[in-house]
Amino acid sequence: MRGGEAVTGARRGACRVAMLGGGVAGLTAAMELAERGFEVTVVEPKGWGGKARSASVPGSGTGGRLDLPSEHGFRFFPGFYQSLPDTLCRIPLAGVRAGVEGNLREASQMLSARSGRVNETVADVSLATGPRTPLQILRAWGIAPGGDQGLSPELLYFANRMLVYMTSSQERRLGQWDATSWWDFTAAEGSSEEYRKVCVVGATRTVVAARAEVSSAHTVGGFMEAFGYGFLGQGGSAAADRVLNAPTSTAWIDPWVAYLRGLGVRLELGWQVGRLRVRGRRVERVELLGPGGQARDLEADWFVCAIPVDRVGGLLDRGLAEADPQLKTVTGLQTDWMTGIQFYLTEPTPLTRGHVVYLDSPWALTSISQAQFWDADFRATYGDGRAADCLSVDISAWDTPGIVYGKPARECTRAEVAAEVWAQLCDGLNGTVGQRLHKGLLHSWSLDPAITGLDGPGPAANDEALLINTTGSWARRPLAVTAAENLFMAGDFVRCPVNLATMEGANQSARTAVGALLKADGHPAPAPEVHALYQPEELRRLKEVDAALYRQGRAHILDTPAPWTTAPGDGRVTAPG
């Protein structure tokens, strides 16, 4: 279903669905169900779009201009996203045939910034460039091949690790590699600092906000595989990297909410789930808590729980565990901080036509200069008329000492966080050749308000933390179908083809939940498509061989110890069962 076509089916009478949560997962499920004739009510405590929504700096707009835009962290849409773009193109937008998907703009470059501008690289990741060689992909990640002798032993080994993962069977991925950390999979111990910084740590902290020591090789390897196929021009026609042409809520969430209202969806903001009331194998109703201590019940035929993973744990002793005791496994899932700060600059400052990765930054920073992609004139549209650009930065490492105060971000004040991030940006972008950033450019800044406690009373807390896929986490992630016959789960922590906390994963989980609900309801409409990640046919036979080896408890045929490893194991694995 694309281009705004709605799926309908003959019904004896519309069934009521209670959607608990209005983030990407909740709104996706609401849209799919409403288009199929269900009566949907969505309750959300904070804001439509969840972590994907944008906000603003209160009181910063003057002279009829809008307040300066802010966000939890910048949004980007990799080329391997397929389910979410399908949703975007079905959200109508006046004068745009492609719907909200028409608001996406290609980010054609990626800059790997280095301290003092040493060995920095700008990679062309545009769709126009066409398929890329493996060496071009390495350069795109900021990995410089060796000189006349070709790849260094470390880079050859890293290539081996990617080849091992890409030819591993699904059984080995879910078994051995999900139980193996990215740190151990890449043999980081005993390797050079540069190898760890670029190939091991850089692939996790700057992209998926997770420590290489605890993140599963299944997650990180799968993410890099999907990105790699995108850079190779495989698996779809979308650009490798796309961003929106306006603040997220303006370009996407607001039109989405308007479309849902037009479908008859009841959207109730300011209400959170207090308790699930369960009888037998069915959820009868949920108790809601609203503004000012209000309380009421919400009854429905079907319930979809689409609240964030950290809040799911809080519901276990308030009816959720009674509905399905197996959901207790979510308490074993971990979250970490990947949150944003925006610097508003007095001059347009397009550092590159895309994202910047600061490989030497102790706080694992990434950024994007946003105004160059937005259709509106920034200075004329936002703030007091002096700000001309928004440099949006994600902070992924909150526990590492910085370069100014020598403290981790969690122990800094909000002003110290801003000063520290600015210093690390300058360290990566400025050098002897010239300065890209200087104090004269800085108009103001805004740190994600979900971060509290930095200015006291502590300790610091993050109200919108991000799921990280630690070793063994796949088994703890719930399925969309629960033991309760009328309760389904959706969210970026629910099992789906994208094994990573992303907007695509949230969208896929919602589609899976809707498909299960339609089946349980006996609804005649087809289930939403859940798009699988691209897997080349050329590697199918190697994966079949590996599946047989894994069942026999044997190592992957290409798995070899690192050249710097002194005591390699025998490579044997224990297959499940």
Side-chain angles (χ1 to χ4, degrees):
M1 183 171 65
R2 295 184 66 93
E5 294 181 30
V7 173
T8 59
R11 299 192 49 72
R12 296 180 300 274
C15 289
R16 301 167 301 167
V17 180
M19 194 66 55
L20 312 180
V24 171
L27 296 184
T28 298
M31 174 175 161
E32 297 289 350
L33 290 166
E35 288 180 339
R36 289 163 172 81
F38 286 81
E39 293 181 2
V40 183
T41 298
V42 187
V43 292
E44 162 62 32
K46 298 184 65 175
W48 303 121
K51 290 190 289 290
R53 72 190 186 279
S54 54
S56 59
V57 182
S60 59
T62 64
R65 285 176 288 268
L66 301 174
D67 287 340
L68 290 167
S70 63
E71 57 198 348
H72 173 72
F74 57 71
R75 305 289 105 204
F76 74 109
F77 301 76
F80 67 84
Y81 281 17
Q82 296 184 68
S83 294
L84 183 60
D86 175 72
T87 296
L88 296 182
C89 77
R90 289 158 44 205
I91 301 171
L93 200 62
V96 182
R97 183 177 180 182
V100 164
E101 190 182 26
N103 281 342
L104 292 176
R105 301 290 182 266
E106 182 180 22
S108 57
Q109 295 177 321
M110 184 168 69
L111 168 62
S112 296
R114 305 305 303 262
S115 180
R117 298 178 67 177
V118 176
N119 296 326
E120 71 172 13
T121 59
V122 178
D124 182 354
V125 298
S126 68
L127 187 65
T129 304
R132 294 165 176 82
T133 67
L135 285 179
Q136 289 173 316
I137 294 176
L138 287 175
R139 293 191 180 100
W141 281 98
I143 302 172
D148 295 337
Q149 302 303 314
L151 293 177
S152 69
E154 287 183 324
L155 289 184
L156 281 171
Y157 184 69
F158 183 70
N160 167 266
R161 305 324 290 158
M162 290 307 305
L163 186 59
V164 165
Y165 186 86
M166 292 165 69
T167 56
S168 287
S169 61
Q170 187 72 352
E171 294 90 338
R172 191 181 298 279
R173 294 185 182 199
L174 295 179
Q176 184 178 4
W177 300 145
D178 195 67
T180 303
S181 71
W182 180 248
W183 182 271
D184 290 339
F185 181 77
T186 55
E189 199 67 37
S191 64
S192 71
E193 180 182 357
E194 184 70 3
Y195 173 78
R196 294 195 300 270
K197 183 179 293 185
V198 176
C199 297
V200 183
V201 177
T204 57
R205 295 299 277 176
T206 57
V207 178
V208 296
R211 297 190 305 276
E213 296 87 342
V214 300
S215 298
S216 78
H218 176 210
T219 293
V220 182
F223 179 83
M224 296 188 70
E225 174 190 49
F227 252 85
Y229 285 137
F231 286 139
L232 284 169
Q234 303 295 319
S237 58
D241 187 2
R242 294 189 291 178
V243 297
L244 289 164
N245 64 348
T248 308
S249 291
T250 302
W252 170 23
I253 305 300
D254 292 347
W256 202 4
V257 169
Y259 177 53
L260 292 174
R261 291 191 192 280
L263 290 173
V265 176
R266 293 176 57 191
L267 296 162
E268 302 189 10
L269 192 61
W271 294 88
Q272 62 181 333
V273 181
R275 175 178 291 275
L276 274 67
R277 291 299 182 184
V278 181
R279 182 186 295 272
R281 295 183 56 219
R282 290 186 62 84
V283 177
E284 288 192 326
R285 67 185 189 278
V286 295
E287 297 177 358
L288 301 177
L289 304 176
Q294 295 173 273
R296 66 181 179 91
D297 288 348
L298 177 61
E299 297 180 351
D301 303 298
W302 306 100
F303 296 83
V304 179
C305 183
I307 62 178
V309 62
D310 51 334
R311 305 199 189 287
V312 168
L315 272 183
L316 288 172
D317 59 356
R318 302 199 302 275
L320 193 60
E322 184 182 352
D324 187 349
Q326 289 298 315
L327 291 174
K328 293 179 180 179
T329 59
V330 301
T331 59
L333 297 174
Q334 298 183 32
T335 59
D336 206 343
W337 295 18
M338 186 178 191
T339 191
I341 182 171
Q342 289 79 50
F343 293 97
Y344 307 104
L345 309 180
T346 57
E347 297 295 336
T349 311
L351 300 175
T352 194
R353 184 71 181 174
H355 292 89
V356 183
V357 179
Y358 301 81
L359 290 172
D360 298 310
S361 164
W363 287 6
L365 305 180
T366 49
S367 75
I368 188 165
S369 303
Q370 293 186 316
Q372 63 181 319
F373 298 101
W374 292 0
D375 292 346
D377 182 301
F378 194 95
R379 194 192 302 272
T381 306
Y382 303 102
D384 59 5
R386 294 186 298 120
D389 207 343
C390 176
L391 178 59
S392 187
V393 184
D394 276 358
I395 308 168
S396 295
W398 282 76
D399 299 305
T400 307
I403 64 176
V404 177
Y405 302 102
K407 298 186 296 184
R410 292 177 192 261
E411 298 177 11
C412 293
T413 66
R414 297 180 77 85
E416 287 174 341
V417 169
E420 180 73 60
V421 171
W422 184 261
Q424 292 183 33
L425 295 175
C426 291
D427 180 65
L429 293 169
N430 298 341
T432 57
V433 177
Q435 291 188 333
R436 292 173 177 167
L437 295 181
H438 56 84
K439 288 184 178 180
L441 283 174
L442 187 56
H443 171 275
S444 57
W445 53 269
S446 175
L447 179 62
D448 183 3
I451 304 296
T452 59
L454 294 179
D455 294 325
N462 186 348
D463 193 45
E464 299 190 56
L466 186 71
L467 171 74
I468 57 170
N469 298 82
T470 55
T471 54
S473 61
W474 179 262
R476 294 188 284 270
R477 296 176 63 180
L479 296 169
V481 178
T482 74
E485 60 187 27
N486 66 336
L487 174 67
F488 304 88
M489 303 296 295
D492 58 17
F493 62 96
V494 177
R495 294 188 196 180
C496 61
V498 175
N499 181 36
L500 184 67
T502 58
M503 298 183 295
E504 177 80 349
N507 184 278
Q508 288 185 340
S509 71
R511 289 165 175 254
T512 303
V514 168
L517 191 157
L518 292 173
K519 181 178 180 181
D521 183 64
H523 197 288
E529 181 179 3
V530 180
H531 300 79
L533 292 173
Y534 172 74
Q535 296 295 326
E537 177 63 23
E538 294 87 345
L539 300 182
R540 180 180 59 83
R541 182 56 185 154
L542 283 171
K543 293 179 183 180
E544 292 174 348
V545 170
D546 184 61
L549 292 174
Y550 183 71
R551 288 192 292 269
Q552 297 167 21
R554 298 168 62 186
H556 189 288
I557 195 171
L558 300 176
D559 198 0
T560 60
W564 56 87
T565 302
T566 56
D570 62 7
R572 296 189 65 81
V573 298
T574 301

